[in-house]
Amino acid sequence: MEFIIAESTEDMSRRAADHIAACLQADPDCVLGLATGTTPIGLYAELVEDCAEGKVSFAGVTTFNLDEYRGLAPEHDQSYRYFMKKHLFDHVDIDQARTHVPEGANPDAHAVCAAYEEAIAAAGGVDMQLLGLGPNGHIGFNEPEDTFPAATHCVDLTQSTIEANSRLFECIDDVPRQAYTMGIGTIMAARSVLMVVEGAHKAEIVKKAFFGPVTPQIPASILQFHQNVTVIVDPAAGELCRDKA
């Protein structure tokens, strides 16, 4: 594992964008796994600028997002399809027919999850998976559990996750209680993993996830077993790990 404490939040975003840009340049037809949340917004902005300047192209890229709220249509302004269009897809030269987000509006969880796994396999697997880190250590919407879920599945969101995401909705009652998410096995099958983390409120979970025991109670800790993972944190998120970097 490569663990990097960036000089600033902006530096974290630029470094992460450079990792993705390098993947695009090495393989213009690569498969990217993408994440949502406030942390990746800066790196998506960097990639949009890079594309506008002709430094990178998404023309041959296929993407798979980690997750989507169950029950939200893609047009809903809090759906992750909407997020990706707003922050990346509508601003780069990507073929949006090759962008994939779990079908949140479909209530048939088995069909949605099985189709997503099949689509990832048909694309040849994910070359680089981008991740954020939840306050309780979740990746995607894989919440703390007794085991590591293997494949894409429907998950009941924990109260802490609902509360953390409520800032994006008009009120907490509007936050969906379930989501479709790639499983830990699906994430671990990516050929490389890139994680970005920002904020002092994540400092403790960063330390536990990457320098503590591997346990399904901290889902991100499984990444310690991945053979090609890069973690880039801003100074506040890395404050408790300065002796590790």
Side-chain angles (χ1 to χ4, degrees), residues 4 9 27 86 174 176 180 236 240:
I4 300 168
T9 302
D27 182 2
K86 177 180 178 180
D174 291 341
Y180 298 130
L240 301 181

Side-chain angles (χ1 to χ4, degrees), residues 31-35 61-68 80-81 84 89 94-103 115-116 118-120 122-123 182:
V31 178
L32 295 179
L34 300 177
V61 170
T62 300
T63 69
F64 290 90
N65 263 76
L66 277 168
D67 42 34
E68 179 60 283
Y80 289 158
R81 165 65 71 179
M84 293 306 306
F89 296 160
I94 197 165
D95 178 358
Q96 296 205 30
R98 296 173 66 175
T99 65
H100 302 81
V101 181
E103 191 182 357
Y116 212 61
E118 290 171 5
I120 293 171
M182 285 187 192

Side-chain angles (χ1 to χ4, degrees), residues 10 26 32 71 81 151 165-166 185 195 217:
E10 293 74 20
L32 295 179
R81 165 65 71 179
N165 290 357
S166 65
M195 174 175 277
Q217 292 300 317

Side-chain angles (χ1 to χ4, degrees), residues 16-177:
D18 287 344
H19 271 70
I20 295 175
C23 183
L24 296 174
Q25 290 159 357
D27 182 2
D29 298 327
C30 66
V31 178
L32 295 179
L34 300 177
T36 55
T38 54
T39 304
I41 290 175
L43 77 88
Y44 288 149
E46 296 282 355
L47 289 171
V48 168
E49 184 175 340
D50 287 350
C51 189
E53 295 176 355
K55 297 177 181 177
V56 299
S57 172
F58 288 81
V61 170
T62 300
T63 69
F64 290 90
N65 263 76
L66 277 168
D67 42 34
E68 179 60 283
Y69 288 116
R70 187 183 190 194
L72 293 193
E75 300 79 17
H76 191 288
D77 65 3
Q78 292 304 322
S79 79
Y80 289 158
R81 165 65 71 179
Y82 186 98
F83 176 100
M84 293 306 306
K85 287 174 65 67
K86 177 180 178 180
H87 293 289
L88 185 66
F89 296 160
D90 284 352
H91 309 289
V92 296
D93 59 341
I94 197 165
D95 178 358
Q96 296 205 30
R98 296 173 66 175
T99 65
H100 302 81
V101 181
E103 191 182 357
N106 186 342
D108 187 337
H110 176 76
V112 170
C113 297
Y116 212 61
E117 287 289 325
E118 290 171 5
I120 293 171
V126 174
D127 292 303
M128 176 177 284
Q129 176 65 60
L130 175 66
L131 298 173
L133 179 66
N136 62 1
H138 72 243
I139 47 177
F141 273 127
N142 293 285
E143 302 281 15
E145 295 186 32
D146 293 332
T147 59
F148 291 109
T152 301
H153 61 292
C154 182
V155 63
D156 294 325
L157 304 183
T158 64
Q159 187 62 30
S160 65
T161 296
I162 292 168
E163 291 172 358
N165 290 357
S166 65
R167 71 192 188 282
L168 303 172
F169 291 80
E170 288 189 10
C171 67
I172 194 169
D173 291 339
D174 291 341
V175 183
R177 267 43 184 179

